[in-house]
Amino acid sequence: MTKRINLFSNLKFDFASGLVVFLVALPLCLGIAMASGAPLFSGIISGIIGGIVVGYLSKSHLSVSGPAAGLTVILLTAISSLGAFNILLTAVFIAGLIQLGLGFIEAGSISN
């Protein structure tokens, strides 16, 4: 017989830990967006989406995700060389589509 887990049994503790993570991640998301020359709102959106997507897709109870400060220089260089933030977003979107396509045809087996 399988044990059923009540999703709301630890809500009090989950809410408190989620609040702490939010308070740590929010300034970091804003700082990285500001340092890389991206709009501040994009830092907030990327933090929210990253937290929700990784939290949903990860099967681990201990997964950690958040902004990577090392990518600040890469993002700043990309925005300045492409000329606009919107062009960078288009390039990232197209790269994501290419990655999805390669994943669907299982092209990762090439590197295996």
Side-chain angles (χ1 to χ4, degrees):
M1 186 169 202
T2 60
K3 181 180 176 184
R4 292 190 69 181
I5 299 173
N6 185 359
L7 295 176
F8 299 107
S9 63
N10 293 322
L11 183 62
K12 180 173 116 176
F13 303 109
D14 290 344
F15 182 78
S17 61
L19 181 63
V20 169
V21 170
F22 167 76
L23 291 174
V24 170
L26 182 64
L28 190 57
C29 290
L30 291 172
I32 289 174
M34 181 182 290
S36 62
L40 292 179
F41 190 66
S42 67
I44 295 171
I45 294 298
S46 65
I48 292 170
I49 291 176
I52 290 172
V53 170
V54 171
Y56 180 74
L57 294 179
S58 174
K59 302 301 179 196
S60 172
H61 295 286
L62 302 173
S63 63
V64 176
S65 67
L71 295 177
T72 304
V73 176
I74 296 170
L75 191 59
L76 177 62
T77 304
I79 291 172
S80 61
S81 66
L82 291 173
F85 183 68
N86 294 338
I87 298 172
L88 174 73
L89 291 179
T90 305
V92 169
F93 180 75
I94 292 170
L97 290 177
I98 293 170
Q99 287 182 347
L100 283 173
L102 291 172
F104 285 129
I105 64 170
E106 298 179 359
S109 61
I110 296 169
S111 66
N112 198 7

Coordinates of all heavy atoms in Angstrom, one line a residue:
M1 N 0.8 -1.2 0.0 CA 0.0 0.0 0.0 C 0.9 1.2 0.0 O 1.9 1.3 0.7 CB -0.9 0.0 1.2 CG -1.9 1.0 1.3 SD -3.1 0.6 2.6 CE -4.4 1.6 2.1
T2 N 0.6 2.2 -0.8 CA 1.4 3.4 -0.9 C 0.9 4.4 0.1 O -0.3 4.5 0.4 CB 1.3 4.0 -2.3 OG1 -0.1 4.4 -2.6 CG2 1.8 3.1 -3.4
K3 N 1.8 5.2 0.5 CA 1.6 6.3 1.5 C 1.2 7.5 0.7 O 2.0 8.0 -0.1 CB 2.8 6.5 2.4 CG 2.6 7.5 3.4 CD 3.8 7.7 4.3 CE 3.7 8.8 5.2 NZ 4.9 9.1 6.0
R4 N 0.1 8.1 1.1 CA -0.3 9.4 0.4 C 0.3 10.6 1.2 O 0.3 10.6 2.4 CB -1.8 9.5 0.4 CG -2.5 8.5 -0.5 CD -3.9 8.8 -0.6 NE -4.0 10.0 -1.4 CZ -5.1 10.6 -1.8 NH1 -6.3 10.1 -1.4 NH2 -5.2 11.7 -2.5
I5 N 0.8 11.5 0.4 CA 1.4 12.7 1.0 C 0.5 13.9 0.8 O 0.1 14.2 -0.3 CB 2.8 13.0 0.3 CG1 3.7 11.8 0.5 CG2 3.4 14.2 0.9 CD1 5.0 11.9 -0.2
N6 N 0.2 14.5 1.9 CA -0.6 15.7 1.8 C 0.3 16.9 1.5 O 1.2 17.2 2.2 CB -1.3 15.9 3.2 CG -2.3 17.1 3.2 OD1 -2.5 17.8 2.1 ND2 -2.9 17.4 4.3
L7 N 0.0 17.5 0.4 CA 0.8 18.6 -0.1 C 0.8 19.8 0.8 O 1.7 20.6 0.8 CB 0.3 19.1 -1.5 CG 0.5 18.0 -2.6 CD1 -0.1 18.6 -3.9 CD2 2.0 17.7 -2.8
F8 N -0.3 20.0 1.6 CA -0.4 21.2 2.4 C 0.0 20.9 3.9 O -0.1 21.8 4.7 CB -1.8 21.7 2.4 CG -2.3 22.1 1.0 CD1 -3.1 21.3 0.3 CD2 -1.7 23.2 0.4 CE1 -3.5 21.7 -1.0 CE2 -2.1 23.6 -0.9 CZ -3.0 22.8 -1.6
S9 N 0.5 19.7 4.2 CA 0.9 19.4 5.6 C 2.0 20.2 6.1 O 2.1 20.5 7.2 CB 1.2 17.9 5.7 OG 2.3 17.6 4.9
N10 N 2.9 20.6 5.2 CA 4.1 21.4 5.6 C 4.0 22.9 5.1 O 5.0 23.6 4.9 CB 5.4 20.8 5.0 CG 5.6 19.5 5.7 OD1 5.4 19.3 6.9 ND2 6.1 18.6 4.9
L11 N 2.8 23.3 4.8 CA 2.6 24.7 4.2 C 3.2 25.8 5.1 O 3.8 26.7 4.5 CB 1.1 24.9 3.9 CG 0.8 26.3 3.3 CD1 1.4 26.3 1.9 CD2 -0.7 26.5 3.2
K12 N 3.1 25.7 6.4 CA 3.6 26.7 7.2 C 5.1 26.8 7.1 O 5.7 27.9 7.0 CB 3.3 26.3 8.7 CG 3.8 27.3 9.7 CD 3.2 27.0 11.1 CE 4.4 26.6 12.0 NZ 3.9 26.3 13.4
F13 N 5.8 25.7 7.0 CA 7.3 25.7 6.9 C 7.7 26.0 5.4 O 8.7 26.7 5.2 CB 7.8 24.3 7.3 CG 7.5 23.9 8.7 CD1 6.6 22.9 8.9 CD2 8.0 24.6 9.7 CE1 6.2 22.6 10.2 CE2 7.7 24.3 11.0 CZ 6.8 23.2 11.3
D14 N 6.9 25.5 4.4 CA 7.2 25.8 3.1 C 7.1 27.3 2.8 O 7.9 27.9 2.0 CB 6.3 25.0 2.1 CG 6.7 23.5 2.1 OD1 7.8 23.2 2.6 OD2 5.8 22.7 1.7
F15 N 6.1 27.9 3.3 CA 5.9 29.4 3.1 C 7.0 30.2 3.7 O 7.5 31.1 3.0 CB 4.5 29.8 3.7 CG 4.2 31.3 3.4 CD1 3.8 31.7 2.2 CD2 4.4 32.2 4.4 CE1 3.5 33.0 1.9 CE2 4.2 33.5 4.2 CZ 3.7 33.9 3.0
A16 N 7.4 29.8 4.9 CA 8.5 30.6 5.5 C 9.8 30.4 4.8 O 10.5 31.4 4.5 CB 8.7 30.1 7.0
S17 N 10.1 29.2 4.3 CA 11.4 29.0 3.6 C 11.3 29.6 2.2 O 12.3 30.2 1.7 CB 11.7 27.5 3.5 OG 10.7 26.8 2.8
G18 N 10.1 29.6 1.6 CA 10.0 30.3 0.3 C 10.1 31.8 0.4 O 10.7 32.4 -0.5
L19 N 9.6 32.3 1.5 CA 9.8 33.8 1.7 C 11.3 34.2 1.9 O 11.7 35.2 1.3 CB 9.0 34.2 2.9 CG 9.0 35.7 3.3 CD1 8.4 36.5 2.2 CD2 8.3 35.9 4.6
V20 N 12.0 33.4 2.6 CA 13.4 33.7 2.8 C 14.2 33.6 1.5 O 15.0 34.4 1.2 CB 14.0 32.7 3.9 CG1 15.5 32.8 3.9 CG2 13.5 33.0 5.2
V21 N 13.9 32.5 0.7 CA 14.5 32.4 -0.6 C 14.2 33.6 -1.5 O 15.0 34.1 -2.2 CB 14.2 31.1 -1.3 CG1 14.6 31.0 -2.7 CG2 14.7 29.9 -0.5
F22 N 12.9 34.0 -1.5 CA 12.5 35.2 -2.3 C 13.3 36.4 -1.9 O 13.7 37.2 -2.7 CB 11.0 35.4 -2.1 CG 10.5 36.7 -2.6 CD1 10.4 36.9 -3.9 CD2 10.2 37.7 -1.7 CE1 9.9 38.1 -4.4 CE2 9.7 38.9 -2.2 CZ 9.6 39.2 -3.5
L23 N 13.4 36.7 -0.6 CA 14.1 37.9 -0.1 C 15.5 37.9 -0.4 O 16.1 38.9 -0.5 CB 13.9 38.0 1.4 CG 12.4 38.3 1.9 CD1 12.3 38.3 3.4 CD2 12.0 39.7 1.3
V24 N 16.1 36.7 -0.6 CA 17.5 36.6 -1.0 C 17.7 36.8 -2.5 O 18.6 37.5 -3.0 CB 18.2 35.3 -0.5 CG1 19.5 35.1 -1.1 CG2 18.3 35.3 1.0
A25 N 16.8 36.1 -3.2 CA 16.9 36.1 -4.7 C 16.5 37.4 -5.4 O 17.1 37.7 -6.4 CB 16.1 34.9 -5.2
L26 N 15.5 38.1 -4.8 CA 15.0 39.3 -5.5 C 16.1 40.4 -5.7 O 16.3 40.8 -6.8 CB 13.8 39.9 -4.7 CG 13.2 41.1 -5.3 CD1 12.6 40.8 -6.7 CD2 12.2 41.7 -4.4
P27 N 16.9 40.7 -4.7 CA 17.9 41.7 -4.9 C 19.0 41.2 -5.9 O 19.6 42.0 -6.7 CB 18.5 42.0 -3.5 CG 17.6 41.5 -2.6 CD 16.8 40.4 -3.2
L28 N 19.3 39.9 -5.8 CA 20.3 39.3 -6.7 C 19.8 39.4 -8.2 O 20.5 39.8 -9.1 CB 20.6 37.9 -6.3 CG 21.7 37.2 -7.0 CD1 23.0 38.0 -6.8 CD2 21.9 35.8 -6.5
C29 N 18.5 39.1 -8.4 CA 17.9 39.2 -9.7 C 17.9 40.6 -10.3 O 18.3 40.9 -11.4 CB 16.5 38.7 -9.7 SG 16.3 36.9 -9.5
L30 N 17.6 41.6 -9.4 CA 17.6 43.0 -9.8 C 19.0 43.5 -10.1 O 19.3 44.2 -11.0 CB 17.0 43.8 -8.7 CG 15.4 43.7 -8.6 CD1 15.0 44.4 -7.4 CD2 14.7 44.1 -9.8
G31 N 20.0 43.0 -9.2 CA 21.4 43.5 -9.4 C 22.0 42.9 -10.7 O 22.7 43.6 -11.4
I32 N 21.7 41.7 -11.0 CA 22.3 41.1 -12.2 C 21.6 41.7 -13.4 O 22.3 42.0 -14.4 CB 22.1 39.6 -12.2 CG1 23.0 39.0 -11.2 CG2 22.3 39.0 -13.6 CD1 22.8 37.5 -10.9
A33 N 20.3 42.0 -13.4 CA 19.7 42.7 -14.5 C 20.3 44.1 -14.7 O 20.6 44.5 -15.8 CB 18.2 42.8 -14.3
M34 N 20.5 44.8 -13.6 CA 21.1 46.2 -13.7 C 22.5 46.1 -14.2 O 22.9 46.9 -15.1 CB 21.0 46.8 -12.4 CG 21.5 48.3 -12.4 SD 21.5 49.0 -10.8 CE 19.8 49.3 -10.5
A35 N 23.3 45.2 -13.7 CA 24.7 45.1 -14.1 C 24.9 44.7 -15.5 O 25.8 45.1 -16.2 CB 25.4 44.2 -13.2
S36 N 23.9 43.9 -16.1 CA 24.1 43.5 -17.4 C 23.4 44.4 -18.4 O 23.5 44.1 -19.6 CB 23.5 42.1 -17.6 OG 22.1 42.1 -17.3
G37 N 22.8 45.4 -18.0 CA 22.2 46.4 -18.9 C 20.8 46.0 -19.4 O 20.2 46.6 -20.3
A38 N 20.2 45.0 -18.7 CA 18.8 44.5 -19.1 C 17.8 45.3 -18.3 O 18.2 45.9 -17.2 CB 18.7 43.0 -18.8
P39 N 16.6 45.4 -18.7 CA 15.6 46.1 -17.9 C 15.4 45.3 -16.5 O 15.5 44.1 -16.4 CB 14.3 46.0 -18.7 CG 14.7 45.7 -20.1 CD 16.0 45.0 -20.0
L40 N 15.1 46.1 -15.5 CA 15.0 45.5 -14.1 C 13.8 44.5 -14.1 O 13.9 43.5 -13.4 CB 14.8 46.6 -13.1 CG 16.0 47.5 -12.8 CD1 15.6 48.6 -11.8 CD2 17.2 46.7 -12.4
F41 N 12.8 44.8 -14.8 CA 11.6 43.9 -14.8 C 12.0 42.5 -15.4 O 11.4 41.5 -14.9 CB 10.5 44.5 -15.6 CG 9.2 43.8 -15.5 CD1 8.5 43.8 -14.2 CD2 8.6 43.1 -16.5 CE1 7.3 43.1 -14.1 CE2 7.4 42.5 -16.4 CZ 6.8 42.4 -15.2
S42 N 12.9 42.5 -16.3 CA 13.3 41.2 -16.8 C 14.0 40.4 -15.8 O 14.0 39.1 -15.8 CB 14.2 41.4 -18.1 OG 15.4 42.0 -17.7
G43 N 14.7 41.0 -14.8 CA 15.4 40.3 -13.7 C 14.3 39.7 -12.8 O 14.5 38.5 -12.4
I44 N 13.3 40.4 -12.5 CA 12.2 39.9 -11.7 C 11.5 38.7 -12.4 O 11.3 37.6 -11.8 CB 11.2 41.0 -11.3 CG1 11.9 42.0 -10.5 CG2 10.0 40.4 -10.6 CD1 11.0 43.3 -10.3
I45 N 11.2 38.9 -13.7 CA 10.5 37.8 -14.4 C 11.3 36.6 -14.5 O 10.8 35.5 -14.3 CB 10.1 38.3 -15.8 CG1 9.0 39.4 -15.7 CG2 9.6 37.2 -16.7 CD1 7.7 39.0 -15.1
S46 N 12.6 36.7 -14.8 CA 13.5 35.6 -14.9 C 13.6 34.8 -13.6 O 13.7 33.6 -13.6 CB 14.9 36.0 -15.5 OG 15.5 36.8 -14.5
G47 N 13.6 35.5 -12.5 CA 13.7 34.9 -11.2 C 12.4 34.1 -10.9 O 12.5 33.0 -10.4
I48 N 11.3 34.7 -11.2 CA 10.0 34.0 -10.9 C 9.9 32.8 -11.8 O 9.5 31.7 -11.3 CB 8.8 35.0 -11.2 CG1 8.8 36.1 -10.1 CG2 7.5 34.3 -11.2 CD1 7.9 37.2 -10.4
I49 N 10.1 33.0 -13.1 CA 9.9 31.8 -14.0 C 10.9 30.8 -13.7 O 10.6 29.6 -13.7 CB 10.0 32.3 -15.5 CG1 8.8 33.2 -15.8 CG2 10.1 31.1 -16.5 CD1 8.8 33.8 -17.2
G50 N 12.2 31.2 -13.5 CA 13.2 30.2 -13.1 C 12.9 29.4 -11.9 O 13.0 28.2 -11.8
G51 N 12.4 30.0 -10.9 CA 12.0 29.4 -9.6 C 10.8 28.4 -9.8 O 10.8 27.3 -9.3
I52 N 9.8 28.8 -10.6 CA 8.6 28.0 -10.8 C 9.0 26.8 -11.7 O 8.6 25.7 -11.4 CB 7.5 28.8 -11.4 CG1 7.0 29.8 -10.3 CG2 6.4 28.0 -11.9 CD1 6.0 30.8 -10.8
V53 N 9.7 27.1 -12.8 CA 10.0 26.0 -13.8 C 10.9 25.0 -13.1 O 10.6 23.8 -13.2 CB 10.6 26.6 -15.1 CG1 11.1 25.5 -16.0 CG2 9.5 27.4 -15.8
V54 N 12.0 25.4 -12.5 CA 12.9 24.4 -11.9 C 12.2 23.7 -10.8 O 12.4 22.5 -10.6 CB 14.2 25.1 -11.4 CG1 15.0 24.2 -10.6 CG2 15.0 25.6 -12.6
G55 N 11.4 24.4 -10.0 CA 10.7 23.8 -8.9 C 9.7 22.7 -9.3 O 9.5 21.7 -8.7
Y56 N 9.1 23.0 -10.5 CA 8.1 22.1 -11.0 C 8.7 20.9 -11.7 O 8.3 19.8 -11.5 CB 7.1 22.8 -12.0 CG 6.1 21.9 -12.6 CD1 5.0 21.5 -11.8 CD2 6.2 21.5 -13.9 CE1 4.0 20.7 -12.4 CE2 5.2 20.7 -14.4 CZ 4.1 20.3 -13.7 OH 3.2 19.5 -14.2
L57 N 9.7 21.1 -12.5 CA 10.3 20.1 -13.3 C 11.3 19.2 -12.5 O 11.5 18.0 -12.8 CB 11.1 20.6 -14.5 CG 10.2 21.3 -15.6 CD1 11.1 21.8 -16.7 CD2 9.2 20.3 -16.1
S58 N 11.9 19.8 -11.4 CA 12.8 19.0 -10.6 C 12.1 18.0 -9.7 O 11.1 18.3 -9.1 CB 13.7 20.0 -9.7 OG 14.5 19.2 -8.9
K59 N 12.6 16.8 -9.7 CA 12.0 15.8 -8.8 C 12.7 15.7 -7.5 O 12.4 14.9 -6.7 CB 12.1 14.4 -9.5 CG 11.5 14.4 -10.9 CD 10.0 14.7 -10.8 CE 9.4 14.7 -12.2 NZ 8.1 15.3 -12.3
S60 N 13.6 16.7 -7.2 CA 14.3 16.7 -6.0 C 13.6 17.6 -5.0 O 13.0 18.6 -5.4 CB 15.7 17.2 -6.2 OG 16.4 17.4 -5.0
H61 N 13.7 17.3 -3.7 CA 13.1 18.2 -2.7 C 14.1 19.2 -2.3 O 13.8 20.2 -1.6 CB 12.8 17.3 -1.4 CG 11.7 16.4 -1.7 ND1 10.4 16.7 -1.8 CD2 11.7 15.0 -1.8 CE1 9.6 15.7 -2.0 NE2 10.4 14.6 -2.0
L62 N 15.3 19.1 -2.8 CA 16.4 20.1 -2.4 C 17.0 20.8 -3.6 O 18.1 21.3 -3.6 CB 17.5 19.3 -1.7 CG 17.1 18.5 -0.5 CD1 18.3 17.7 0.0 CD2 16.6 19.4 0.6
S63 N 16.2 21.0 -4.6 CA 16.7 21.7 -5.8 C 16.9 23.2 -5.5 O 16.1 23.8 -4.8 CB 15.8 21.6 -7.0 OG 14.6 22.1 -6.8
V64 N 18.0 23.8 -6.0 CA 18.2 25.2 -5.9 C 18.4 25.8 -7.2 O 19.2 25.3 -8.1 CB 19.5 25.4 -5.0 CG1 19.8 26.9 -4.9 CG2 19.3 24.8 -3.6
S65 N 17.8 26.9 -7.5 CA 18.0 27.6 -8.8 C 18.0 29.1 -8.5 O 17.4 29.6 -7.5 CB 16.9 27.3 -9.8 OG 15.7 27.8 -9.3
G66 N 18.5 29.9 -9.3 CA 18.6 31.3 -9.2 C 19.5 32.0 -10.2 O 20.0 31.3 -11.1
P67 N 19.6 33.2 -10.1 CA 20.4 34.0 -11.0 C 21.9 33.6 -10.9 O 22.4 33.3 -9.8 CB 20.2 35.4 -10.7 CG 19.7 35.4 -9.3 CD 19.0 34.1 -9.1
A68 N 22.6 33.6 -12.0 CA 24.0 33.3 -12.0 C 24.8 34.6 -12.3 O 24.7 35.1 -13.4 CB 24.4 32.2 -13.0
A69 N 25.5 35.0 -11.3 CA 26.3 36.3 -11.4 C 27.3 36.2 -12.5 O 27.7 37.2 -13.1 CB 26.9 36.7 -10.1
G70 N 27.9 35.0 -12.8 CA 28.9 34.9 -13.8 C 28.4 35.2 -15.2 O 29.2 35.5 -16.1
L71 N 27.1 35.1 -15.4 CA 26.6 35.4 -16.7 C 26.3 36.9 -17.0 O 26.0 37.3 -18.1 CB 25.2 34.6 -16.9 CG 25.3 33.1 -16.9 CD1 23.9 32.5 -17.1 CD2 26.2 32.6 -18.1
T72 N 26.6 37.7 -16.0 CA 26.4 39.1 -16.2 C 27.2 39.7 -17.3 O 26.7 40.5 -18.1 CB 26.7 39.9 -14.8 OG1 25.9 39.3 -13.8 CG2 26.4 41.3 -14.9
V73 N 28.5 39.4 -17.3 CA 29.4 39.9 -18.3 C 29.0 39.4 -19.7 O 29.0 40.1 -20.7 CB 30.9 39.5 -18.0 CG1 31.8 40.0 -19.0 CG2 31.3 40.1 -16.6
I74 N 28.6 38.1 -19.8 CA 28.2 37.5 -21.1 C 27.0 38.3 -21.6 O 26.9 38.6 -22.8 CB 28.0 36.0 -20.9 CG1 29.3 35.3 -20.5 CG2 27.4 35.4 -22.2 CD1 29.1 33.9 -20.1
L75 N 26.0 38.5 -20.7 CA 24.8 39.2 -21.1 C 25.0 40.6 -21.5 O 24.5 41.1 -22.5 CB 23.8 39.1 -20.0 CG 22.3 39.5 -20.3 CD1 21.8 38.6 -21.4 CD2 21.5 39.4 -19.0
L76 N 25.9 41.3 -20.8 CA 26.2 42.7 -21.1 C 26.9 42.8 -22.4 O 26.6 43.6 -23.3 CB 27.1 43.3 -20.0 CG 27.6 44.7 -20.2 CD1 26.4 45.7 -20.3 CD2 28.5 45.1 -19.1
T77 N 27.8 41.8 -22.7 CA 28.5 41.8 -24.0 C 27.6 41.5 -25.1 O 27.6 42.1 -26.2 CB 29.7 40.8 -24.0 OG1 30.5 41.1 -22.9 CG2 30.4 40.8 -25.2
A78 N 26.6 40.6 -24.9 CA 25.7 40.2 -25.9 C 24.7 41.4 -26.2 O 24.5 41.6 -27.4 CB 24.9 39.0 -25.5
I79 N 24.3 42.0 -25.2 CA 23.4 43.2 -25.5 C 24.1 44.3 -26.2 O 23.5 44.9 -27.1 CB 22.8 43.7 -24.1 CG1 21.8 42.7 -23.5 CG2 22.0 45.0 -24.3 CD1 21.3 43.0 -22.1
S80 N 25.3 44.6 -25.8 CA 26.0 45.7 -26.5 C 26.4 45.3 -27.9 O 26.4 46.2 -28.8 CB 27.2 46.1 -25.6 OG 28.1 45.1 -25.5
S81 N 26.8 44.1 -28.1 CA 27.2 43.7 -29.5 C 26.0 43.5 -30.4 O 26.1 43.8 -31.6 CB 28.0 42.4 -29.5 OG 27.2 41.3 -29.1
L82 N 24.8 43.1 -29.9 CA 23.7 43.0 -30.8 C 22.9 44.3 -30.9 O 22.2 44.5 -31.9 CB 22.7 41.9 -30.2 CG 23.2 40.5 -30.2 CD1 22.2 39.6 -29.5 CD2 23.3 40.0 -31.7
G83 N 23.1 45.2 -30.0 CA 22.6 46.5 -30.1 C 21.3 46.8 -29.3 O 21.0 48.0 -29.1
A84 N 20.5 45.8 -29.0 CA 19.3 46.0 -28.2 C 18.9 44.8 -27.5 O 19.2 43.7 -27.9 CB 18.2 46.4 -29.2
F85 N 18.2 45.0 -26.4 CA 17.8 43.9 -25.5 C 16.8 43.0 -26.3 O 16.8 41.8 -26.1 CB 17.2 44.5 -24.2 CG 16.7 43.4 -23.3 CD1 17.7 42.6 -22.6 CD2 15.4 43.2 -23.0 CE1 17.3 41.6 -21.7 CE2 15.0 42.3 -22.1 CZ 15.9 41.5 -21.5
N86 N 15.9 43.6 -27.1 CA 14.9 42.8 -27.8 C 15.5 41.9 -28.8 O 15.0 40.8 -29.0 CB 13.9 43.8 -28.5 CG 13.1 44.6 -27.6 OD1 12.9 44.2 -26.4 ND2 12.6 45.7 -28.1
I87 N 16.6 42.3 -29.4 CA 17.3 41.4 -30.3 C 17.9 40.2 -29.6 O 17.9 39.1 -30.0 CB 18.4 42.2 -31.1 CG1 17.7 43.3 -32.0 CG2 19.2 41.2 -32.0 CD1 18.7 44.2 -32.6
L88 N 18.5 40.5 -28.4 CA 19.0 39.4 -27.6 C 17.9 38.4 -27.2 O 18.1 37.2 -27.2 CB 19.6 40.0 -26.3 CG 20.1 38.9 -25.3 CD1 21.3 38.2 -25.8 CD2 20.3 39.5 -23.9
L89 N 16.7 38.9 -26.8 CA 15.6 38.0 -26.5 C 15.2 37.2 -27.7 O 14.9 36.0 -27.5 CB 14.4 38.8 -26.0 CG 14.5 39.5 -24.7 CD1 13.2 40.3 -24.3 CD2 14.8 38.5 -23.6
T90 N 15.2 37.7 -28.9 CA 14.9 36.9 -30.0 C 15.9 35.9 -30.3 O 15.6 34.7 -30.6 CB 14.8 37.9 -31.3 OG1 13.9 38.9 -31.0 CG2 14.4 37.1 -32.5
A91 N 17.2 36.2 -30.1 CA 18.3 35.2 -30.3 C 18.2 34.1 -29.2 O 18.4 32.9 -29.6 CB 19.6 35.9 -30.2
V92 N 17.9 34.4 -28.0 CA 17.7 33.4 -27.0 C 16.5 32.5 -27.2 O 16.6 31.3 -27.1 CB 17.6 34.1 -25.6 CG1 17.2 33.1 -24.5 CG2 18.9 34.7 -25.2
F93 N 15.4 33.1 -27.7 CA 14.2 32.3 -28.1 C 14.5 31.3 -29.2 O 14.2 30.2 -29.1 CB 13.1 33.3 -28.5 CG 11.8 32.6 -28.9 CD1 11.0 32.0 -27.9 CD2 11.5 32.4 -30.2 CE1 9.9 31.3 -28.2 CE2 10.3 31.8 -30.5 CZ 9.5 31.2 -29.6
I94 N 15.2 31.8 -30.2 CA 15.6 30.9 -31.4 C 16.5 29.8 -30.9 O 16.4 28.6 -31.3 CB 16.2 31.7 -32.5 CG1 15.1 32.6 -33.1 CG2 16.8 30.8 -33.6 CD1 15.7 33.6 -34.1
A95 N 17.5 30.2 -30.0 CA 18.4 29.1 -29.5 C 17.6 28.1 -28.7 O 17.9 26.9 -28.7 CB 19.5 29.8 -28.6
G96 N 16.6 28.5 -27.9 CA 15.8 27.6 -27.2 C 15.0 26.7 -28.1 O 14.9 25.5 -27.8
L97 N 14.5 27.2 -29.2 CA 13.8 26.3 -30.2 C 14.7 25.3 -30.8 O 14.4 24.1 -31.0 CB 13.2 27.2 -31.3 CG 12.0 28.1 -30.9 CD1 11.5 28.9 -32.1 CD2 10.8 27.2 -30.3
I98 N 16.0 25.7 -31.1 CA 16.9 24.8 -31.6 C 17.3 23.7 -30.6 O 17.3 22.5 -30.9 CB 18.2 25.5 -32.1 CG1 17.9 26.4 -33.3 CG2 19.4 24.6 -32.4 CD1 19.0 27.4 -33.6
Q99 N 17.4 24.1 -29.3 CA 17.7 23.1 -28.3 C 16.5 22.1 -28.1 O 16.8 20.9 -27.9 CB 18.0 23.8 -27.0 CG 19.4 24.4 -26.9 CD 19.6 25.1 -25.6 OE1 18.8 25.2 -24.8 NE2 20.9 25.5 -25.4
L100 N 15.3 22.6 -28.2 CA 14.2 21.7 -28.1 C 14.1 20.8 -29.3 O 13.9 19.6 -29.1 CB 12.9 22.5 -28.0 CG 12.5 23.2 -26.7 CD1 11.3 24.1 -26.9 CD2 12.2 22.1 -25.7
G101 N 14.4 21.3 -30.5 CA 14.4 20.4 -31.6 C 15.5 19.3 -31.5 O 15.2 18.2 -31.8
L102 N 16.7 19.7 -31.1 CA 17.7 18.7 -30.9 C 17.4 17.7 -29.8 O 17.7 16.5 -29.9 CB 19.1 19.4 -30.6 CG 19.7 20.2 -31.7 CD1 20.9 21.0 -31.2 CD2 20.1 19.3 -32.9
G103 N 16.7 18.1 -28.8 CA 16.2 17.2 -27.8 C 15.2 16.2 -28.3 O 15.2 15.0 -27.9
F104 N 14.3 16.7 -29.1 CA 13.2 15.8 -29.6 C 13.8 14.8 -30.6 O 13.3 13.6 -30.7 CB 12.1 16.6 -30.4 CG 11.2 17.3 -29.4 CD1 10.9 18.7 -29.6 CD2 10.6 16.6 -28.4 CE1 10.1 19.3 -28.7 CE2 9.8 17.3 -27.5 CZ 9.5 18.6 -27.7
I105 N 14.9 15.1 -31.3 CA 15.5 14.1 -32.2 C 16.6 13.3 -31.5 O 17.3 12.5 -32.2 CB 16.0 14.8 -33.5 CG1 17.1 15.7 -33.3 CG2 14.9 15.4 -34.3 CD1 17.8 16.2 -34.5
E106 N 16.7 13.6 -30.2 CA 17.7 12.9 -29.4 C 19.1 13.0 -29.9 O 19.9 12.0 -30.0 CB 17.3 11.4 -29.2 CG 16.0 11.3 -28.5 CD 15.5 9.8 -28.4 OE1 16.3 8.9 -28.8 OE2 14.4 9.6 -27.8
A107 N 19.5 14.2 -30.2 CA 20.8 14.5 -30.8 C 21.9 14.4 -29.7 O 23.1 14.4 -30.0 CB 20.8 15.9 -31.5
G108 N 21.5 14.4 -28.4 CA 22.5 14.3 -27.4 C 23.3 13.0 -27.4 O 24.3 12.9 -26.8
S109 N 22.7 12.0 -28.1 CA 23.4 10.7 -28.2 C 24.7 10.9 -29.0 O 25.6 10.0 -28.8 CB 22.5 9.7 -28.8 OG 22.1 10.1 -30.1
I110 N 24.8 11.9 -29.8 CA 26.1 12.1 -30.5 C 27.2 12.4 -29.6 O 28.3 11.8 -29.8 CB 25.9 13.4 -31.5 CG1 24.8 13.1 -32.5 CG2 27.2 13.7 -32.1 CD1 24.4 14.3 -33.3
S111 N 27.0 13.1 -28.5 CA 28.1 13.4 -27.6 C 28.3 12.2 -26.6 O 29.4 12.2 -25.9 CB 27.8 14.7 -26.8 OG 26.7 14.4 -25.9
N112 N 27.4 11.3 -26.6 CA 27.6 10.2 -25.7 C 28.6 9.2 -26.2 O 29.4 8.6 -25.7 CB 26.2 9.5 -25.5 CG 26.2 8.5 -24.3 OD1 27.1 8.5 -23.5 ND2 25.1 7.8 -24.2

